[in-house]
Structures are given as structure tokens and as C-alpha cells.
């Protein structure tokens, strides 16, 4: 290509990337040491007061480690494609542009939000950043990676019909992607905009079709009627459904949480009763955890569960931001069973059946009321505030038959929930790219398509590259989970980055649309609203960064 000096061979390029990742890891290690000294006491443990005072440093470390792991997983993706003989020009440019952009951000400052940056100078690692940029491999990507000519050539090939490899190196998983992409594009995408405008629930017949495809039992053991395919398959299914509409990809979230809770902590009778019915789609669950004024602070939860003389439980209290509550058949409900024990220790988890509501009577259960929370996006299931006043749960509804374990039981689902949420974000990010890409090719200004204007082409190039990179980070976390390895940090990283990219892509794609993007008739207006929730639920970005950093500072954890 005449715009570039002679390109490195794939082997040489991957070798350069390996050296750059090694340099980036050294930089992250230096950052971790600096932050550890700032927030940990003499015993090496995190000091809450010091952590609050140095929160910017703490969260900056989380973002640095996230970028470094993203580079490492992008390298793994490129290496696997090269070994399979599928590392072409577009894949090469994803590696070059992505490495150039993320290494530059490590050296200059990472955007933690729209107006907050984790800059080396403020974090106390300015000297380490200078060492990073002086590294020969890093310097190569800073100079020759994310260049204007490369971005233009990459987008030009995409418009010529080229794509970026998305194989997972597994024929079965690739078939799963193909099947669900076809279903999502045929049965969801054409109708999502109208469903959104109407604030309509996803039609029951569509849910039935999703159930027949196995959406609600992807990770459930086959002996209970599930597919038993694991978290990576769950990511692929979720990504493709969310690419059509986030609500479709999110329908499986509540089933994923409920099934993991029951599989991990339920009694044999609870497993036999609930897992087959949830996996088949006969029963739709909802997660009832959050309360007004508590948010992520579950230790302050006040909803009471009081044991009755006959062994049943009486539920009293209020819950909020409960998704798909009216049309659900069973709740996984967190309540305080021992008021004498403050914090997490007094919490218990319940499997609480309820009658499915209708449009005329959304909450027909005795002792339970609900009201809808109107929202910008993320429609199709609806959000509710719930009130409980004497709601009855039978004695066998206590998860595992053991009190005081609710928070610990829930904690064990966080990894899967965050991986699944990252996959939803990847689907939304792709949808935003699809819409921006299509509009950039169809819309003409001053005699040429929009994408040929450099800043529009730049936007599209970075949207595609960052989505691939976040996808590979998400798949990495899913693979770690499938190998039964602890992945709270990795899952948090995937969710943190993918949510930000989904929002960035949606905002950028709307900018490509110009004034038309602000019109409700254009799909990008919906995608923008849908994308905004991703950095809030399943752990707000600030909470997520705190959890990641805390995990990184724990003994034995590596950046």
C-alpha cells in the first residue's frame, strides 16, 4: 500500500505486539505499586479512608489494568487468527489501530468518563509513562499504528465488502452465532423500533421462539433440560440478540441469575422444581434485590422476611428497578431474616413464586403491589417499583434451606452477570456501528458519501476497532469462568470497558447521522437511550472500577 512504508510480516507484527504488551504490563505493575502505597495500611490491607481520599488513583489503576488486559486479549485474538491462517489486512489494522490508540491512552491519559481522565501525572506514574513510550515496540505502535492513512484504508475496505474475523475457533459456537444472528435479524430487529416507541413488552410469541432455541437454558446442566454450553456460548447468544435490541439480549439475564443461584445453592428439590421450568421458558424469573436509597449498598437492605408459625415467610418492604416484574412467574428475592445482624450477615435469598400479571392487572398477588418506572430506553420488559406487605413465601422458598447466606449466594453470581452484561454492551456497540456505518455510506454531502470525510471515517474505524477489542476482553472473562477460575476482576474489566464503548459508539453514530440522529424515527435515537443504562446497572462504572482496583491490590493478583 503506497500510503505506508513496508508492512511488517504477521509474525514480526505479533512479536512487536508481544513486546508492547510486556512493556504495558510493567507500566501497570508500577502503577499498582504506587497506588498500593497510597491506599493500603502498614499491614498491606486496603484502608477505606485512604481509599476514599485517593479514589481517583484507585480507579485510575482499574482503567490502566483494563486497557492492558484488553491489549493482551487483542493480541491473543490476532495470534489465534494467524495460526488459523485467517489474519488478513483488516485484522492486522485492528491490531495496529487498537494498539496505537490504547498505548497512547496509557501514556497520555485514559478517559474514565466524558470529563474525567486517569493521567499518569496525577496518578504518580509520570516517570513510568516515560519509560513506556521509550520502549521500542511501544514506539512502533505509537508512530505506525493508529495513523490517519491506516484508518482510511481500513474503512475503505469495510465499505468494499470486507469484514473483521469473528470466529471463535469452535465450529459449534460459530454455528450458534449464525443461528442467533439470523433469528435476531428476522424476528426482532425489524420490529424493535416500534416496540420501543410503544413501550410494548416483547411479544409472548417471540419469547416462546427464544425459549425453543434454548436462550433461557444456555448454561443449565442438560439433566435439567438446559444446553450446558457455558458462559462463552451465553456471550455469543446475548451479543447477537442485543445487536438487534438490548431487551432481547437482556431477557436471558434474569434466567441466568436465577439458574446460577439455584444450581449453586439450591436444595435438590429446588433444582428439580425450578431449573427445568426456567430453562424451557415455561417460567420467567425476575431478580428482586435493589431497594430505594440503597443502590449498590446491599448491606443496608431493609426488606424483612419474618418466619411464621407454620414455617412460611412473610415479606414486608420495598424494592425498586425490578425488570420484567409484572410478567414474571418467580422472584429471586433478597431480604433480611435476622434484624439483629447488621450488614450482609442477616440477609437471605428466597425463591418466591408469584402469579403472572396482565395488562389489566399487572400484580395480582396478595400482599404485593407495583408501579411502572418510565425510562428513556431499555424497554420491552419494563421497570417497576414493588411493595410487599404480608406477601407469603412458603417454607421451601428459602434458597438452600439456610438463613443468612443470601448475600454470599448472590455474590457468586456477580461474575456471570457482569460477563453477560458486557456481552449485551458488545451487541449494542455493534448495532450503533452498523447504523453509523450504513448512514455514512448512504448519506452524501458535497458530492461524496459521508465516510469519505476524514473525521467521519475516523469515527467509524475506531468504533469497529474498539468493539472488537472489548469483545475479546469479554470472551476472555467468559473463558476464565468456563474454566472455573476466579474472574471477578476480569468480568469487571469487561463490563467496565464494554459499557463505555457501547455509549461512545451510540453517541458517535448519532453524530454521524447529524440532525437526523436526533429524530425519533431513526433507530440510532433508540440505541443511544439503550446504551446509556449499561454503565449504571450491574454495578455502576464507579463501583466497578473500585471493585477491580480492590481485586488488583489483593495478595496474589496480577495486572
Amino acid at each position: 500500500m503506497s500510503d505506508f512504508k513496508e508492512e511488517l510480516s504477521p509474525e514480526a507484527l505479533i512479536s512487536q505486539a508481544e513486546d508492547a504488551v510486556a512493556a504495558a504490563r510493567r507500566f501497570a505493575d508500577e502503577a499498582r505499586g504506587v497506588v498500593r502505597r497510597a491506599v493500603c495500611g502498614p499491614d498491606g490491607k486496603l484502608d477505606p479512608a485512604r481509599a476514599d481520599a485517593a479514589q481517583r488513583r484507585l480507579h485510575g489503576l482499574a482503567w490502566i489494568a483494563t486497557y492492558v488486559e484488553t491489549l493482551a486479549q487483542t493480541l491473543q485474538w490476532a495470534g489465534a487468527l494467524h495460526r488459523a491462517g485467517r489474519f488478513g489486512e483488516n485484522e492486522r489494522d485492528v491490531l495496529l489501530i487498537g494498539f496505537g490508540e490504547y498505548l497512547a491512552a496509557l501514556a497520555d491519559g485514559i478517559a474514565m468518563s466524558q470529563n474525567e481522565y486517569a493521567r499518569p501525572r496525577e496518578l504518580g506514574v509520570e516517570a513510568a509513562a516515560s519509560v513506556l513510550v521509550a520502549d521500542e515496540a511501544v514506539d512502533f505502535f505509537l508512530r505506525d499504528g493508529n495513523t490517519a492513512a491506516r484508518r482510511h484504508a481500513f474503512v475503505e475496505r469495510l465499505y468494499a465488502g470486507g469484514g473483521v474475523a469473528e470466529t471463535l475457533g469452535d465450529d459449534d459456537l460459530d454455528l450458534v452465532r449464525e443461528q442467533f444472528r439470523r433469528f435476531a435479524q428476522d424476528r426482532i430487529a425489524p420490529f424493535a423500533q416500534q416496540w420501543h416507541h410503544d413501550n410494548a413488552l416483547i411479544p409472548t410469541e417471540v419469547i416462546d421462539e427464544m425459549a425453543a432455541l434454548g436462550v433461557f437454558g444456555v448454561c443449565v446442566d442438560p439433566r435439567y433440560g438446559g444446553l450446558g454450553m457455558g458462559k462463552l456460548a451465553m456471550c455469543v447468544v446475548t451479543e447477537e440478540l442485543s445487536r438487534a435490541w438490548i431487551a432481547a439480549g437482556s431477557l436471558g439475564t434474569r434466567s441466568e441469575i436465577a439458574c446460577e443461584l439455584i444450581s449453586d445453592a439450591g436444595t435438590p428439590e429446588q433444582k428439580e422444581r425450578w431449573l427445568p421450568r426456567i430453562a424451557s421458558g415455561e417460567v420467567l424469573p425476575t431478580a428482586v434485590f435493589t431497594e430505594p436509597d440503597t443502590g449498590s449498598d446491599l448491606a443496608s437492605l431493609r426488606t424483612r422476611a419474618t418466619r411464621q408459625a407454620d414455617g412460611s415467610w412473610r415479606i414486608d418492604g420495598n424494592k425498586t428497578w425490578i425488570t420484567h416484574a409484572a410478567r414474571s412467574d418467580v422472584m429471586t428475592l433478597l431480604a433480611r431474616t435476622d434484624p439483629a445482624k447488621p450488614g450482609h450477615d442477616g440477609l437471605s435469598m428466597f425463591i418466591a413464586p408469584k402469579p403472572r400479571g396482565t395488562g389489566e392487572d399487572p400484580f395480582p398477588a396478595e400482599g404485593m403491589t407495583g408501579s411502572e418506572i418510565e425510562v428513556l430506553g431499555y424497554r420491552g420488559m419494563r421497570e417497576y417499583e414493588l411493595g410487599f406487605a404480608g406477601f407469603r413465601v412458603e417454607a421451601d422458598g428459602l434458597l438452600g434451606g439456610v438463613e443468612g447466606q443470601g448475600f454470599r449466594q448472590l455474590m457468586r453470581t456477580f461474575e456471570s452477570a457482569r460477563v453477560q452484561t458486557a456481552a449485551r454492551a458488545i451487541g449494542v456497540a455493534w448495532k450503533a456501528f452498523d447504523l453509523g456505518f450504513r448512514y455514512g455510506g448512504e448519506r452524501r454531502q458535497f458530492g461524496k458519501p459521508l465516510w469519505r470525510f476524514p473525521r467521519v471515517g475516523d469515527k467509524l474505524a475506531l468504533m469497529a476497532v474498539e468493539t472488537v477489542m472489548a469483545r475479546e476482553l469479554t470472551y476472555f472473562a467468559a473463558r476464565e469462568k468456563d474454566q472455573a477460575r476466579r474472574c471477578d476482576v476480569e468480568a469487571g474489566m469487561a463490563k467496565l470497558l464494554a459499557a463505555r464503548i457501547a455509549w461512545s459508539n451510540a453517541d458517535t453514530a448519532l453524530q454521524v447521522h447529524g440532525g437526523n440522529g436526533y429524530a425519533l424515527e431513526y433507530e440510532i435515537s433508540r440505541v443511544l437511550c439503550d446504551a446509556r443504562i449499561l454503565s449504571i446497572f450491574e454495578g455502576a462504572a464507579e463501583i466497578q472500577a473500585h471493585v477491580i482496583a480492590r481485586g488488583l491490590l489483593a495478595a496474589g493478583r496480577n495486572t
Side-chain angles (χ1 to χ4, degrees):
M1 298 183 337
S2 59
D3 289 327
F4 309 106
K5 63 183 182 182
E6 185 177 350
E7 296 283 5
L8 294 178
S9 68
E11 293 82 3
L13 178 58
I14 289 171
S15 178
Q16 286 278 61
E18 289 171 346
D19 291 344
V21 167
R25 288 203 186 279
R26 291 192 293 271
F27 172 69
D29 285 340
E30 181 68 24
R32 183 169 61 168
V34 169
V35 173
R36 185 188 299 280
R37 291 189 288 275
V39 303
C40 293
D43 59 358
K45 294 181 179 179
L46 191 74
D47 181 288
R50 294 171 70 175
D52 285 346
Q55 189 182 76
R56 178 176 291 277
R57 283 187 171 187
L58 195 67
H59 293 191
L61 171 64
W63 277 103
I64 287 171
T66 297
Y67 266 45
V68 172
E69 194 58 61
T70 302
L71 290 169
Q73 296 312 314
T74 304
L75 169 61
Q76 291 297 315
W77 167 78
L81 289 176
H82 175 54
R83 291 188 294 274
R86 304 184 69 169
F87 188 67
E89 287 184 307
N90 284 348
E91 291 73 31
R92 176 205 63 203
D93 282 355
V94 167
L95 182 67
L96 283 158
I97 294 169
F99 266 60
E101 178 68 14
Y102 276 39
L103 288 168
L106 286 170
D108 300 333
I110 299 170
M112 298 191 292
S113 70
Q114 283 85 344
N115 64 356
E116 297 171 287
Y117 289 82
R119 294 189 175 94
R121 181 181 66 257
E122 293 181 337
L123 299 180
V125 290
E126 189 172 14
S130 297
V131 172
L132 176 68
V133 298
D135 181 88
E136 183 178 350
V138 172
D139 180 64
F140 163 77
F141 286 105
L142 293 177
R143 287 185 294 103
D144 297 330
N146 185 20
T147 65
R150 192 176 304 283
R151 293 191 298 271
H152 177 82
F154 174 58
V155 173
E156 188 170 43
R157 286 194 301 272
L158 293 181
Y159 275 108
V164 178
E166 55 189 9
T167 179
L168 289 104
D170 182 306
D171 290 343
D172 289 339
L173 289 175
D174 289 344
L175 285 173
V176 167
R177 184 189 298 283
E178 181 182 339
Q179 178 186 36
F180 278 92
R181 178 171 295 176
R182 186 166 56 247
F183 169 79
Q185 293 306 311
D186 290 346
R187 298 293 294 125
I188 297 170
F191 314 106
Q193 187 76 350
Q194 192 60 53
W195 291 338
H196 167 82
H197 284 318
D198 294 343
N199 192 27
L201 293 169
I202 297 177
T204 301
E205 58 269 24
V206 174
I207 295 178
D208 291 342
E209 292 176 50
M210 292 171 64
L213 289 171
V215 169
F216 305 116
V218 173
C219 299
V220 175
D221 192 308
R223 63 180 164 159
Y224 296 114
L227 300 180
M229 294 190 72
K231 306 305 181 184
L232 184 56
M234 175 196 69
C235 283
V236 175
V237 170
T238 301
E239 179 186 335
E240 292 303 328
L241 292 173
S242 299
R243 192 169 184 166
W245 190 25
I246 191 175
S250 297
L251 264 175
T253 308
R254 273 131 291 282
S255 296
E256 172 73 19
I257 293 171
C259 287
E260 186 152 359
L261 279 168
I262 296 167
S263 296
D264 185 61
T267 65
E269 294 77 16
Q270 288 169 339
K271 294 176 184 179
E272 290 288 347
R273 179 182 179 186
W274 293 111
L275 291 178
R277 298 168 69 194
I278 296 174
S280 70
E282 174 193 348
V283 164
L284 297 177
T286 188
V288 184
F289 308 142
T290 309
E291 295 188 359
D293 302 323
T294 62
S296 297
D297 184 14
L298 292 178
S300 300
L301 186 146
R302 288 178 289 184
T303 295
R304 285 288 313 279
T306 308
R307 193 187 291 272
Q308 305 298 290
D310 63 357
S312 67
W313 296 87
R314 175 190 170 110
I315 309 297
D316 296 280
N318 297 289
K319 297 287 186 177
T320 192
W321 294 110
I322 310 304
T323 304
H324 214 201
R327 197 163 56 175
S328 63
D329 306 291
V330 67
M331 301 176 285
T332 49
L333 188 152
L334 190 64
R336 188 169 298 281
T337 51
D338 190 345
K341 292 182 179 178
H344 300 131
D345 290 341
L347 301 178
S348 299
M349 186 70 70
F350 293 88
I351 310 171
K354 58 174 280 294
R356 186 178 293 197
T358 65
E360 296 73 29
D361 189 5
F363 294 100
E366 184 177 350
M368 179 181 180
T369 58
S371 58
E372 185 179 351
I373 303 170
E374 295 186 0
V375 291
L376 290 171
Y378 192 55
R379 299 176 181 178
M381 294 177 292
R382 297 182 184 163
E383 303 295 319
Y384 297 90
E385 290 191 5
L386 302 181
F388 296 96
F391 179 80
R392 179 184 174 90
V393 178
E394 297 297 336
D396 62 1
L398 179 64
L399 182 64
V402 182
E403 288 186 53
Q405 297 298 307
F407 181 75
R408 295 174 184 85
Q409 292 164 344
L410 182 59
M411 282 285 288
R412 291 195 286 271
T413 72
F414 282 177
E415 292 177 348
S416 296
R418 285 167 180 166
V419 170
Q420 203 259 8
T421 302
R424 284 187 275 174
I426 299 302
V428 173
W430 277 129
K431 181 65 174 181
F433 170 77
D434 293 341
L435 294 172
F437 185 79
R438 184 177 67 196
Y439 194 85
E442 294 174 350
R443 179 74 167 178
R444 299 182 68 84
Q445 291 283 285
F446 305 105
K448 59 184 178 181
L450 285 180
W451 74 266
R452 287 198 172 276
F453 292 92
R455 288 195 61 199
V456 175
D458 284 351
K459 289 176 172 62
L460 296 169
L462 266 297
M463 287 166 70
V465 167
E466 282 204 281
T467 306
V468 171
M469 296 173 77
R471 181 191 70 192
E472 294 310 310
L473 181 64
T474 300
Y475 290 173
F476 166 62
R479 290 185 176 103
E480 291 292 287
K481 187 68 176 176
D482 282 338
Q483 293 296 317
R485 289 193 281 262
R486 180 180 176 181
C487 65
D488 55 332
V489 168
E490 294 80 3
M493 289 176 172
K495 197 267 184 188
L496 182 71
L497 182 65
R500 195 198 67 187
I501 289 171
W503 170 251
S504 173
N505 277 14
D507 188 41
T508 301
L510 192 147
Q511 188 72 20
V512 170
H513 280 69
N516 284 338
Y518 208 61
L520 292 179
E521 67 182 281
Y522 282 82
E523 283 190 89
I524 191 59
S525 65
R526 179 193 85 240
V527 175
L528 184 82
C529 293
D530 288 345
R532 191 61 190 90
I533 192 62
L534 286 158
S535 62
I536 298 174
F537 65 11
E538 297 295 344
E542 293 78 9
I543 294 290
Q544 206 67 64
H546 200 82
V547 170
I548 293 166
R550 191 173 59 198
L552 291 169
L553 294 174
R557 299 304 293 261
N558 296 317
T559 49

